[in-house]
Amino acid sequence: MESHPTPPGTGHGDRTPPDAGVRPEILASWQRSQSLGIDRERAALPIDSDLDPDSRLIRAAAPVLDRLCHRFSGVPVTVALADSRANILDRRGDPTGLKLMDAASLVPGANVDERFMGTSSVSMVLSTRAPFVVVGHEHFLHDLKELTCMAAPVRDPVGGAVRGAVNLSVPRMLAEPGMALALQDATERIGERLLELGTARELDLMRSFQRARERGGHAELDLGSGDLSRLGGPAPRLASQERLILLERAVELISSTGETFTEVPLAGGRVAVLRRRELRHGDAEGAAVEVSFENARGTGAPGPATATAPDGRHVPLLDRSTAAAEAASTPDTTPEPHAAGPTDAWLLLVGEPGVGRLAAEARGRLSLLNEAGTRLGTTLDMRRTAEELAEIAVPRFADLVVVDLVEGVLAGEEPPPGRLPPDVALRRVAAWAGEGSRDTPIGGVDHPAGYPAGTPQARCLGTGQPVTDSVLTAALTEQGDRVHPVGLLGEGVHSYLGAPLSARGSVLGLAGFYRRGRTRPYEQDDLTLAGELAARAAISVDNARRYRREHHASLTLQRSLLPHALPRLSTVDLAARYLPADARAGVGGDWFDAIPLSGMRVALVVGDVPGYGLQAAATMGRLRTAVRTLAGLDLLPEEVLAHLDDLVSRTPDESFGEQDPATGATCLYAVYDPVSCRCTAARAGHPPPALLTPGGEARLIDLPAGPPLGLGGIQPYESATVDLPAGSLLAMYTDGLLKENRGYGSTDARTGRLLASLDHAGPALEDICDRVTDTLLSGGPYDDVALLLARVHALSEDRVVSWEFPSDSSVVARARELTRAQLAAWNMSELDFNTGLVVSELVTNAVRYGGRGPVCLRLLRDDSLICEVSDRSNTSPRIRRAATTEEGGRGLFLVAQFTKSWGARYMPQGKTVWAEQVPQPEQPASEMDEQALLAMFDDSG
């Protein structure tokens, strides 16, 4: 029990309740009371004069309340007993206190619910279903502000339902914590007495039935063994599952108000017929359920008959024609099946309807948990999981369910450990009130949700435990759907239960369950069930959050490793698509690339790494980096694949027998030369590219099929060369484009659809990409898909010139003259000095070190000027720092200084050294100072 100081301003003339020293839930109750227009000076309480003075609750509580008052004799204490509807049933204690209760209209029959009295301990207990203390100034009515009132619920031990509440009132200055403990002990004792009284009633019912049974010759069926306990013939033996079904149906039949019989099909063509017979003994009312066994078609034969039990015994059946006649003569009674057939009946279960209802509800809760175990978390989607929780709970557990998740959780962030602060940002992700609300907007779904202090949601998030409370619709009109979905609940008081979505020590959100009206308030067992449902949903939500985070990280990594933009080339138009797999499969390792090469050539690459997730994306990035490195060496396509295969085949740690994650990856590598209009390609376990020539039909290029990377062994990779007329379209793709229904389907048929989509494509490459993906992936990709389109162009003859010279030093001057003339023809004279220097150095090196074969000089003009010198030698040129006393060794250094880039590539016979320059007409190249040029070659020190 907490004690709060009395704040100033609490006089009777002050009609605004103070806020100082008042708990948030009390303030929330005050706000509801004010919205109802309750008079704080004297509330008008309705009085029910039709209460049973000898009810079961009063008889159970009377001796306990006497002992409680005797315990506090000498202290002005009053004790009041209220039922579950907040009606005062009994009161006793200090005479002065009882007079004060009379003055406040707190008489037997008065209703002290919050709707009529405002904030009180009894109303708070019946709302929250938990003990509650209201201290002096926290009362809404001025007449009670001098008292401290503490109340505790009276629970039925069978099912935990709140049957009422006991309130203990004492002057504020005399209140002690021990009083609240004594009160809770008293309410527990009342619950025990309720059980004792209920057991006595059922014993009376059993005795009444036994007497009737003995007169009628009935016997008792032992469900444990399936044998007859006494009297009558032997009963058929029952399988364990059959026994359980019969007991469940008997419980339902006892708790039913209209049904009198039910049939249960059993094995062997038998039918168990359960009949409900009303019982009464004094004020105890109950029912007995008898069971009889018949054939599926009915026995129907007149006179004595027998039934064959599963063990082969013949069971005598008694004639029940008299019972059938009695049933037929009873008005408003539904005729029982097989009424004319002879049978024998055995007692199955005796009980009160209320107890049967509790048992049926317990079985329903187990069934609901079982359904939740199979339906929750069917997808790795947080919103869908929240919707599944709502759909499972409605209508069996609630009339309306809303689910709110933390904003950070929806984004995939790690939730903070422990309980949530009251100002945490939430978002409503699901609301469901049954099929009738499918097209009705409910409770601000996809909008932020916030819960002020004092609301049951705030208490639930603050404590991390399920809570229950009452929701008064009239008091929520100002808050609207931000706290409760007012529009869907309707007018009146409703029951609310909030359960936190907790997983792995963190609270991910909140599930709110509503029941319209107060006829079915949430009880202790419901709190446990809601907590279990919320916990199961929270695990699925957290799994979806973790998957979302990993999926997003994988996708981000993969997209960062893919080309951000394709290069703009004058000889090849490019367009590409990367489509990640669906949410179930996750991110894969498909990739593409376009790499400019020397001589205005371009390398086109498409690859596919097996697997999904971060590892596949990282492996893809490693392979793409390796391919770009190998492409920079100007290797042939088959050599690139051979080096990749060797890279993948190297086990990271042979001692542990690990396998490279890239093992089994596929790759297609092609090089297009715009001068010769030829394409050379090789593949490692990859689908061949498709080619569409101008005026022709799309077809697949016939390439030698090499093994996937890491599986090549000693088998060499081979390439093929095809001529590509100007305007040809080359399509390279991964196998995800050809997969249908998780990889099942005809690959040939889908390849045909791919070629057909290329045949009917327009000129725009982006439109072609969309057409191909829409045609083959109309239902979304089942695997990662990478698509790379290239429309090739030829380099016109007026942009290429070449000469061949003998291997003689005298040709260097001739090469410079021809180069100068060609630059003049191309209006690129501003590059004379640099180009002359480059040509001189490269031709000189080719003559000196290129062997005896001829030397070829070629110039290519595009946005840049490319100078290429070829010879028959395979010696690799390299830059070195020449010593001060050396006369040579500075040629390639000068080439690197006066060009944008340079390099060498190898041919089957010989090599080509190239250098590229970018014209800058606005800033003509100036001759470098002689001393500065010489200083570049000085040795340090």
Side-chain angles (χ1 to χ4, degrees):
M1 181 180 69
E2 300 181 29
S3 178
H4 300 273
T6 304
T10 57
H12 291 272
D14 180 16
R15 300 199 172 261
T16 302
D19 294 346
V22 178
R23 289 167 285 175
E25 53 265 40
I26 296 294
L27 287 176
S29 177
W30 281 358
Q31 294 172 0
R32 295 193 297 268
S33 302
Q34 287 177 324
S35 65
L36 293 172
I38 299 174
D39 187 355
R40 296 178 61 239
E41 299 296 337
R42 187 175 182 84
L45 303 181
I47 297 178
D48 186 359
S49 58
D50 191 23
L51 295 178
D52 183 5
D54 194 34
S55 68
R56 185 177 174 185
L57 178 59
I58 293 177
R59 287 191 289 118
V64 179
L65 298 182
D66 288 337
R67 285 195 297 271
L68 184 63
C69 292
H70 178 73
R71 177 174 180 175
F72 296 111
S73 59
V75 181
V77 169
T78 56
V79 177
L81 173 68
D83 62 13
S84 59
R85 296 177 299 171
N87 292 316
I88 296 178
L89 301 180
D90 192 5
R91 59 177 197 167
R92 58 194 66 196
D94 179 68
T96 304
L98 294 178
K99 291 181 180 179
L100 292 177
M101 295 182 69
D102 290 337
S105 300
L106 300 177
V107 297
N111 193 294
V112 293
D113 191 78
E114 184 181 73
R115 294 172 295 168
F116 313 112
M117 183 178 175
T119 308
S120 69
S121 57
V122 172
S123 66
M124 297 299 290
V125 163
L126 295 180
S127 294
T128 62
R129 326 300 278 181
F132 207 93
V133 177
V134 179
V135 180
H137 62 279
E138 291 183 332
H139 284 96
F140 186 78
L141 297 182
H142 281 302
D143 292 342
L144 303 178
K145 290 187 180 295
E146 297 301 321
L147 300 176
T148 291
C149 296
M150 52 196 76
V154 176
R155 298 187 183 277
D156 192 334
V158 182
V162 175
R163 298 303 184 189
V166 176
N167 177 78
L168 188 150
S169 301
V170 62
R172 182 171 53 85
M173 303 305 295
L174 300 178
E176 297 179 357
M179 294 179 174
L181 298 177
L183 177 62
Q184 293 188 42
D185 291 340
T187 54
E188 291 176 2
R189 177 56 186 155
I190 294 175
E192 294 173 359
R193 285 183 51 78
L194 284 174
L195 180 61
E196 294 170 359
L197 292 176
T199 303
R201 291 158 60 92
E202 290 188 359
L203 289 175
D204 291 339
L205 289 175
M206 178 64 75
R207 296 189 188 98
S208 175
F209 183 82
Q210 286 176 340
R211 288 191 294 270
R213 184 197 63 188
E214 292 172 356
R215 290 193 300 269
H218 289 230
E220 190 173 335
L221 181 66
D222 184 357
L223 287 177
S225 63
D227 292 333
L228 201 66
S229 61
R230 57 180 179 174
L231 301 178
R237 296 186 64 84
L238 300 172
S240 58
Q241 186 64 25
E242 292 176 337
R243 301 170 196 166
L244 179 61
I245 293 176
L246 290 182
L247 282 178
E248 290 178 350
R249 295 296 174 86
V251 167
E252 294 176 354
L253 204 57
I254 287 179
S255 61
S256 173
T257 57
E259 294 184 73
T260 58
F261 70 89
T262 185
E263 292 183 345
V264 180
L266 302 176
R270 296 173 301 130
V271 176
V273 180
L274 277 64
R275 293 176 174 82
R276 181 178 189 267
R277 301 187 182 279
E278 301 292 338
L279 296 176
R280 179 183 294 274
H281 184 86
D283 65 341
E285 296 182 0
V289 175
E290 295 177 305
V291 58
S292 60
F293 301 93
E294 301 178 359
N295 292 327
R297 298 180 180 178
T299 53
T306 61
T308 302
D311 57 3
R313 293 179 299 168
H314 294 282
V315 180
L317 302 178
L318 303 180
D319 187 4
R320 297 191 64 256
S321 56
T322 304
E326 293 177 357
S329 62
T330 303
D332 301 328
T333 301
T334 303
E336 298 179 354
H338 316 300
T343 186
D344 199 1
W346 292 271
L347 174 64
L348 185 60
L349 190 67
V350 172
E352 290 187 273
V355 178
R357 176 185 59 81
L358 293 175
E361 289 178 355
R363 188 173 64 85
R365 284 191 284 268
L366 291 176
S367 175
L368 192 63
L369 284 177
N370 180 66
E371 182 179 353
T374 58
R375 290 182 57 185
L376 275 177
T378 58
T379 63
L380 288 173
D381 183 84
M382 288 180 279
R383 294 177 181 272
R384 180 54 193 156
T385 300
E387 293 171 356
E388 290 170 344
L389 172 62
E391 292 169 1
I392 291 171
V394 175
R396 295 167 60 182
F397 184 70
D399 297 319
L400 168 66
V401 176
V402 295
V403 182
D404 306 317
L405 293 180
V406 178
E407 290 275 13
V409 170
L410 283 172
E413 300 174 2
E414 193 73 26
R419 302 168 183 173
L420 294 177
D423 57 345
V424 64
L426 299 172
R427 181 169 292 271
R428 184 155 297 170
V429 294
W432 182 249
E435 291 294 336
S437 65
R438 182 174 296 276
D439 299 327
T440 305
I442 307 174
V445 176
D446 286 331
H447 289 80
Y451 301 114
T455 59
Q457 294 95 332
R459 297 204 310 272
C460 178
L461 294 175
T463 61
Q465 299 293 328
V467 300
T468 183
D469 207 334
S470 297
V471 175
L472 187 60
T473 306
L476 300 173
T477 53
E478 295 182 1
Q479 296 174 338
D481 288 354
R482 183 170 178 264
V483 176
H484 298 283
V486 179
L488 201 70
L489 288 175
E491 295 297 328
V493 181
H494 313 285
S495 297
Y496 171 80
L497 193 159
L501 300 175
S502 302
R504 299 180 178 92
S506 301
V507 178
L508 311 179
L510 176 72
F513 304 89
Y514 295 85
R515 286 178 181 172
R516 294 188 184 90
R518 298 188 65 177
T519 57
R520 297 185 302 142
Y522 286 108
E523 304 294 350
Q524 190 65 35
D525 289 346
D526 296 321
L527 287 172
T528 304
L529 175 61
E532 181 66 23
L533 287 175
R536 296 190 181 192
I539 292 295
S540 298
V541 169
D542 194 51
N543 290 338
R545 178 194 64 81
R546 290 168 175 260
Y547 171 80
R548 176 186 178 89
R549 183 178 61 180
E550 181 178 346
H551 183 268
H552 180 71
S554 302
L555 190 59
T556 301
L557 174 62
Q558 187 175 43
R559 291 190 182 278
S560 67
L561 296 175
L562 288 171
H564 294 283
L566 292 172
R568 293 181 175 272
L569 304 173
S570 60
T571 56
V572 179
D573 296 331
L574 299 171
R577 290 288 186 276
Y578 168 69
L579 302 177
D582 62 348
R584 289 181 180 270
V587 175
D590 291 18
W591 56 283
F592 61 89
D593 208 348
I595 309 169
L597 302 178
S598 64
M600 301 181 67
R601 297 171 305 135
V602 61
L604 305 173
V605 196
V606 172
D608 186 358
V609 174
Y612 300 97
L614 283 171
Q615 180 169 309
T619 304
M620 176 271 292
R622 183 163 61 93
L623 287 183
R624 178 171 177 252
T625 302
V627 168
R628 293 187 72 89
T629 302
L630 295 172
L633 299 177
D634 267 322
L635 299 178
L636 297 175
E638 61 269 26
E639 295 177 350
V640 171
L641 296 183
H643 282 290
L644 282 178
D645 179 74
D646 182 60
L647 174 67
V648 175
S649 299
R650 296 174 185 172
T651 304
D653 191 343
E654 297 181 0
S655 61
F656 291 97
E658 296 181 1
Q659 189 180 60
D660 193 306
T663 302
T666 65
C667 184
L668 173 62
Y669 188 92
V671 176
Y672 171 68
D673 187 348
V675 177
S676 63
C677 293
R678 307 187 77 183
C679 179
T680 303
R683 61 185 178 123
H686 203 86
L691 174 63
L692 176 63
T693 57
E697 294 184 354
R699 62 181 176 86
L700 296 180
I701 298 177
D702 186 14
L703 292 181
L709 301 179
L711 305 175
I714 62 174
Q715 181 178 354
Y717 292 99
E718 300 178 37
S719 63
T721 302
V722 294
D723 293 325
L724 298 185
S728 297
L729 178 64
L730 189 67
M732 302 169 64
Y733 50 89
T734 57
D735 61 355
L737 192 65
L738 304 180
K739 288 183 179 179
E740 183 178 14
N741 191 20
R742 297 294 177 192
Y744 298 97
S746 174
T747 302
D748 293 339
R750 293 184 65 81
T751 301
R753 294 175 61 187
L754 168 63
L755 299 178
S757 63
L758 294 177
D759 282 333
H760 299 87
L765 293 185
E766 294 293 336
D767 294 341
I768 298 176
C769 286
D770 293 337
R771 181 182 180 87
V772 170
T773 54
D774 291 344
T775 301
L776 278 81
L777 306 173
S778 57
Y782 292 99
D783 191 7
D784 271 23
V785 174
L787 174 64
L788 178 63
L789 299 181
R791 176 167 281 122
V792 300
H793 305 287
L795 193 64
S796 59
E797 295 181 357
D798 61 344
R799 299 167 65 183
V800 182
V801 63
S802 62
W803 302 277
E804 189 174 286
F805 306 102
S807 181
D808 188 277
S809 59
S810 62
V811 302
V812 176
R814 177 62 178 165
R816 283 198 302 267
E817 292 176 3
L818 293 174
T819 299
R820 185 179 300 110
Q822 188 61 47
L823 291 179
W826 284 345
N827 295 322
M828 303 178 73
S829 298
E830 71 275 8
L831 297 179
D832 277 350
F833 178 81
N834 293 352
T835 307
L837 178 62
V838 170
V839 169
S840 295
E841 294 297 335
L842 295 183
V843 173
T844 299
N845 285 343
V847 170
R848 289 182 179 180
Y849 312 109
R852 297 182 180 181
V855 175
C856 180
L857 171 63
R858 186 171 74 167
L859 299 180
L860 298 93
R861 178 176 66 88
D862 192 30
D863 295 335
S864 61
L865 176 66
I866 301 174
C867 176
E868 297 181 344
V869 176
S870 304
D871 57 44
R872 296 297 179 89
S873 172
N874 289 324
T875 304
S876 175
R878 62 186 180 88
I879 294 180
R880 68 182 181 89
R881 179 173 289 276
T884 306
T885 58
E886 290 182 323
E887 295 183 1
R890 300 176 176 88
L892 289 179
F893 189 89
L894 290 173
V895 171
Q897 289 293 322
F898 285 94
T899 60
K900 174 186 176 183
S901 59
W902 75 279
R905 66 176 181 269
Y906 298 89
M907 302 173 292
Q909 293 182 349
K911 69 177 182 299
T912 298
V913 182
W914 56 271
E916 182 180 7
Q917 303 175 74
V918 178
Q920 296 180 352
E922 294 82 2
Q923 298 178 358
S926 60
E927 296 186 5
M928 184 174 291
D929 180 72
E930 180 180 354
Q931 296 298 326
L933 183 61
L934 293 175
M936 298 173 62
F937 297 95
D938 290 342
D939 291 332
S940 59

